[in-house]
Amino acid sequence: MRYAVLGTGEVGRTLAGRLVELGYDVTLGSRTKDNPVAVDWATAAGGRAHAGSFADAAAAADVVVNAVGGRVALDALRAAGAEHLDGKVVVDVCNPVAFDDGQLRLDPVESDSVAEQIQRAFPRARVVKTLNTVNCQVMVAPGRVPGEHNLFVSGDDAGAKRQVTELLGEFGWPAERVLDLGGVRSARAVEMLLPLWFTLFQKFGHADFNFEVRREH
């Protein structure tokens, strides 16, 4: 299985690094083929790690991970090329976050989501929203947080969600702690968790926390 991780920020590098550790071939994609951050990452990560443009990364991959900022996600995926996304699982981990006057803002919010925008723009892609409700270190090492805390998946393709849940298991998330919220429209709910997540981050002073859902069985 070959992965493209789009985005050279901390989230993208963390996910790409963990995928390399798991034995996958990974291309870290950016706007330019010779992005120095991506090149340095690939050099340090070893033989299974590669750097390239968004299009290079997506073309070479079986699965595409969207780890750019939510407000530029569509631009990045258009640069990757619709033909390189057709039929592929696209794992969307981003949030539509910006800081205006020092305040966290979401756009879109409530009536739409980044995941839905991606699915509309690339109807042949198999979009799965997940991992956007935890810090990137917790994404790949859930044991940093004690307890049976949860992740969520949203998407219209049941097979894609199963595939992504298996990958989450490789990251250390037991399948019973991954809650399937339903179709891609349910991504609105998890994207709207971000203001609460950020408020908790400010209160705790660190990002090693997560949400745990308890219920009667």
Side-chain angles (χ1 to χ4, degrees):
M1 187 72 71
R2 299 165 300 172
Y3 284 85
V5 178
L6 309 185
T8 59
E10 185 181 3
V11 175
R13 297 195 313 274
T14 299
L15 289 169
R18 183 66 181 123
L19 288 165
V20 170
E21 290 174 358
L22 290 169
Y24 295 112
D25 288 320
V26 181
T27 302
L28 188 63
S30 59
R31 294 187 184 280
T32 59
K33 187 185 295 286
D34 57 353
N35 179 286
V37 174
V39 171
D40 288 349
W41 171 84
T43 301
R48 292 186 179 273
H50 313 279
S53 67
F54 290 141
D56 293 334
D62 303 301
V63 176
V64 177
V65 179
N66 172 48
V68 301
R71 296 193 178 190
V72 297
L74 289 178
D75 289 340
L77 288 164
R78 290 187 185 109
E83 71 277 15
H84 299 145
L85 304 177
D86 281 1
K88 295 180 181 179
V89 174
V90 175
V91 185
D92 175 35
V93 307
C94 74
N95 286 296
V97 174
F99 288 88
D100 299 327
D101 299 324
Q103 299 297 312
L104 183 148
R105 308 287 185 190
L106 298 179
D107 183 18
V109 62
E110 187 180 272
S111 60
D112 203 359
S113 65
V114 176
E116 289 172 272
Q117 291 180 338
I118 294 170
Q119 189 65 85
R120 287 196 302 270
F122 305 97
R124 291 172 58 87
R126 303 159 67 204
V127 178
V128 178
K129 185 82 179 190
T130 193
L131 287 172
N132 69 301
T133 53
V134 292
N135 171 265
C136 62
Q137 300 299 327
V138 179
M139 289 180 186
V140 299
R144 293 173 69 100
V145 179
E148 297 184 357
H149 47 98
N150 298 102
L151 278 184
F152 310 97
V153 294
S154 301
D156 293 336
D157 188 301
K161 288 189 286 188
R162 284 193 298 271
Q163 183 176 332
V164 171
T165 299
E166 290 173 2
L167 175 63
L168 296 175
E170 294 187 69
F171 287 170
W173 295 91
E176 65 272 15
R177 283 167 47 190
V178 179
L179 302 182
D180 185 345
L181 299 182
V184 71
R185 181 169 177 162
S186 64
R188 299 177 189 183
V190 291
E191 290 184 12
M192 286 191 289
L193 276 176
L194 258 291
L196 174 57
W197 187 96
F198 186 71
T199 300
L200 291 170
F201 171 70
Q202 291 178 307
K203 177 177 177 60
F204 299 150
H206 64 80
D208 284 336
F209 64 90
N210 191 19
F211 303 102
E212 181 178 342
V213 178
R214 296 194 176 190
R215 59 183 174 175
E216 267 192 334
H217 292 287

